[in-house]
Amino acid sequence: MKKAARRLDVSVDSGFRPRSSMLTRRSFAMLACAALASGCFPSLGGCSSGKNVVVDAPEVEEAAVRLTFFGFKYESMNVVAIEGILRAYMDAHADVSIVYEGVKSRPYFDALGKRLSSGFGDDVFMVDHDTALAFEEAGYLADLSDLPTIDLMSDLALGQMRSEGVIDYVPTSISAFGLYCNTDLLASCGIEVPETLPQFERACEAFAAAGVVPLVANNDISLKTVAIACGLASVYASDGEAAVASFNDDPALLASALRKGFDVVERIVANGWVDAPLALETEKTADDLEQFATGAFPFMLTGAWAAARMRDLAPELAFEVHPYPVLDDRSVLVVNVDTRVSVNADSPHVDEAKDFVSFFTQPDSIESFAGSQCSFSPLKGNAAPGEPSVQPLAAAFSQGGAVIASDDNLRFPIWENARQCVVAMLGGATAQEAEAMLLSLITAETGDAS
């Protein structure tokens, strides 16, 4: 059968479940180029507050199967990579049409939960550790154990995917978190890139004494990943699986382990090494990058996925991304098996959706998508991103022993719980109070008051 002609369309809408206006592929390209030139592509934070980016590819003649794909990837580079994967899949499957809708992460998860609970969930959607826990219990996630690409996954990815026996998501990247270092500013002050906590603290003291706030932090991932890195480094350096099992049995052990990390965060805030009121208002991969792009800050804490965006935002800024210097004798690499894709168990097109997800996790697709995020591949070999500024992370990854920031084997939502604790610390809470808060949040969710 002759394939029908296709168009790929992009639009922005603020509705609960937006529908795209019809733009031709050429219009999409012109819109993207014009928006990038103006610094206001609809998918970028700061230009799309409360709005969604939609990539549509309708058939001239209606396709027999029309899938919807909902995700939290909205950056232009990510959307272009997703668009390419969708186009390639539909070129090989003339009877299937797919529309992708991307929303910034925190609003995304609220919308995703509402869609699924109301019975209007998308066929394919992205999840994280915390939502996967809730969705597994609710029965929203289809079993993906029979996907042919499962055998291509690395041991690191499989160790997360198989945490519950049944595989109900597949990762499309392994993200890393790092300390962005303004190498020109450091060199001008005679300060080397810190590799240990004492070196980092001395650097922060020197800049603070000179009237410079050392650290850019956002209100989401920055300081919570520092706390997790410091608190759990020894766990993953020994028998991480046994330790995580003990945390599930006794959450107080986890809260106690993270106390060491909360202590580090408390020193950062108390010493003024981060502007706490500003950090509370700083959105990740948006406001934080704009601050660091000024060249006035020596350090920033955020995900490696922002490196290419940072380079485009400030092409003259010399920077490198290094593992977190949070231990007395070494630094710590923090990673997540990430951008997890699931299939709606109640979808009327489960088989077609699973076939698309299998296509999305083939090597060519993974290489394109993970590369667009400056992330590692979840496939065997864990291919590193090509972005030069993140090569220190790649070197650390090859050595093993990384801390998993939101381990699937942990049976409560540490990702969100840790964020709430650190937000409280930015507002003045102590490390001791953060430890108690973390335990309270966990026990409230698990009903375990032991």
Side-chain angles (χ1 to χ4, degrees):
M1 182 178 69
K2 184 178 179 180
K3 295 180 181 179
R6 297 177 183 272
R7 297 178 295 174
L8 272 97
D9 308 323
V10 61
S11 70
V12 177
D13 199 331
S14 58
F16 173 71
R17 192 176 180 84
R19 298 300 181 189
S20 61
S21 61
M22 299 304 175
L23 304 175
T24 64
R25 184 188 299 273
R26 182 180 179 187
S27 298
F28 170 77
M30 292 175 65
L31 172 63
C33 291
L36 285 171
S38 67
C40 195
F41 188 76
S43 67
L44 299 182
C47 299
S48 58
S49 177
K51 297 191 177 183
N52 312 332
V53 58
V54 180
V55 177
D56 199 359
E59 293 283 357
V60 174
E61 298 177 3
E62 188 68 18
V65 176
R66 185 168 174 82
L67 300 177
T68 60
F69 180 13
F70 191 32
F72 51 77
K73 292 300 177 182
Y74 66 99
E75 295 279 348
S76 57
M77 291 179 67
N78 303 153
V79 172
V80 168
I82 291 171
E83 178 257 337
I85 295 168
L86 265 61
R87 181 178 66 237
Y89 181 80
M90 290 186 293
D91 284 347
H93 300 80
D95 58 337
V96 179
S97 186
I98 310 173
V99 55
Y100 173 78
E101 178 188 350
V103 180
K104 193 168 185 177
S105 58
R106 297 198 64 206
Y108 164 80
F109 289 110
D110 290 338
L112 176 63
K114 290 176 182 177
R115 291 185 183 190
L116 289 168
S117 62
S118 65
F120 292 97
D122 296 87
D123 303 289
V124 180
F125 47 83
M126 294 177 185
V127 297
D128 67 357
H129 170 260
D130 294 2
T131 52
L133 287 174
F135 293 168
E136 286 165 1
E137 185 174 346
Y140 292 150
L141 309 181
D143 183 359
L144 304 181
S145 302
D146 59 346
L147 291 189
T149 51
I150 298 298
D151 291 339
L152 303 178
M153 295 290 169
S154 68
D155 289 342
L156 174 60
L158 289 172
Q160 297 294 293
M161 297 160 62
R162 289 175 172 159
S163 62
E164 284 297 290
V166 174
I167 293 175
D168 49 26
Y169 76 82
V170 287
T172 56
S173 66
I174 296 178
S175 58
F177 305 85
L179 180 72
Y180 283 64
C181 299
N182 180 334
T183 53
D184 281 348
L185 183 55
L186 291 176
S188 69
C189 297
I191 297 174
E192 296 184 353
V193 170
E195 297 181 356
T196 66
L197 182 59
Q199 291 174 0
F200 176 65
E201 292 185 332
R202 285 195 295 270
C204 288
E205 289 172 351
F207 281 110
V212 175
V213 176
L215 190 61
V216 173
N218 60 57
N219 59 14
D220 188 354
I221 62 173
S222 295
L223 294 175
K224 78 179 181 186
T225 49
V226 166
I228 291 171
C230 184
L232 299 185
S234 62
V235 167
Y236 285 93
S238 55
D239 190 349
E241 184 176 343
V244 169
S246 70
F247 294 156
N248 289 328
D249 293 336
D250 185 359
L253 294 175
L254 175 63
S256 178
L258 285 184
R259 172 59 186 273
K260 182 179 180 181
F262 290 144
D263 284 338
V264 172
V265 173
E266 183 176 12
R267 291 204 297 276
I268 290 173
V269 176
N271 289 325
W273 297 341
V274 63
D275 183 333
L278 178 61
L280 285 169
E281 302 298 324
T282 297
E283 294 294 323
K284 72 176 180 183
T285 326
D287 303 333
D288 51 359
L289 304 193
E290 292 178 1
Q291 293 170 32
F292 193 65
T294 64
F297 298 88
F299 304 117
M300 175 175 67
L301 294 162
T302 195
W305 60 80
R309 169 89 181 273
M310 189 70 252
R311 179 167 38 77
D312 291 341
L313 188 62
E316 302 303 317
L317 181 66
F319 70 93
E320 296 175 350
V321 190
H322 288 257
Y324 286 163
V326 293
L327 298 184
D328 289 340
D329 59 347
R330 64 182 177 91
S331 58
V332 177
L333 177 64
V334 182
V335 301
N336 264 342
V337 174
D338 214 357
T339 324
R340 310 167 182 198
V341 178
S342 291
V343 169
N344 187 349
D346 294 325
S347 167
H349 307 296
V350 169
D351 290 341
E352 292 86 354
K354 288 172 65 174
D355 187 68
F356 166 68
V357 171
S358 179
F359 183 87
F360 201 111
T361 48
Q362 291 178 355
D364 287 349
S365 300
I366 290 290
E367 180 180 358
S368 171
F369 186 64
S372 77
Q373 303 182 79
C374 294
S375 296
F376 295 88
S377 168
L379 303 182
K380 291 177 181 177
N382 297 123
E387 165 63 34
S389 64
V390 303
Q391 293 315 298
L393 299 182
F397 193 101
S398 67
Q399 296 172 9
V403 168
I404 301 175
S406 55
D407 196 321
D408 273 289
N409 296 282
L410 201 60
R411 301 313 302 162
F412 31 80
I414 184 63
W415 199 234
E416 174 59 19
N417 291 344
R419 185 195 69 82
Q420 291 186 43
C421 293
V422 166
V423 165
M425 295 187 73
L426 286 169
T430 65
Q432 182 178 1
E433 290 168 336
E435 178 186 359
M437 181 179 180
L438 178 61
L439 182 57
S440 176
L441 289 169
I442 294 172
T443 54
E445 290 151 356
T446 62
D448 181 5
S450 60

